[in-house]
Amino acid sequence: PTSSVLKEIPLNSVQAGDFVWRTGHTAVVEKFDAAANRLYIFHASTGSGPLENQIRYANYSGSGTFTRAYRYIGPGTEGLPQ
């Protein structure tokens, strides 16, 4: 994806709040544990049923199957690490 408020970053440098992407799926990073090489995310798993069944928590070895990572750099991020 291309956006003026998202900056592509290396998968191994993701932080809480960053987005990870692969074709057909996007997730929000909770954390990346570099020492354990584990990625922890929240993601949508279905578009139907009760809301509590639509959002899932998962973790993967390394970056899992995600191929790209992005950080929001738009309004409200002035002064934050980019």
Side-chain angles (χ1 to χ4, degrees):
T2 303
S3 170
S4 63
V5 296
L6 293 176
K7 173 178 142 182
E8 189 165 0
I9 59 172
L11 279 162
N12 64 356
S13 70
V14 295
Q15 301 171 5
D18 289 340
F19 302 95
V20 287
W21 178 88
R22 69 172 182 256
T23 301
H25 197 59
T26 304
V28 179
V29 174
E30 181 207 20
K31 69 179 178 178
F32 178 68
D33 183 342
N37 195 33
R38 293 213 68 85
L39 175 66
Y40 297 81
I41 63 164
F42 290 95
H43 65 106
S45 63
T46 179
S48 61
L51 183 59
E52 63 270 15
N53 294 338
Q54 294 180 28
I55 304 298
R56 300 279 170 97
Y57 179 73
N59 68 82
Y60 297 94
S61 176
S63 58
T65 58
F66 293 98
T67 56
R68 294 185 179 175
Y70 298 90
R71 181 162 297 144
Y72 176 74
I73 58 168
T77 62
E78 298 82 4
L80 296 174
Q82 302 290 320

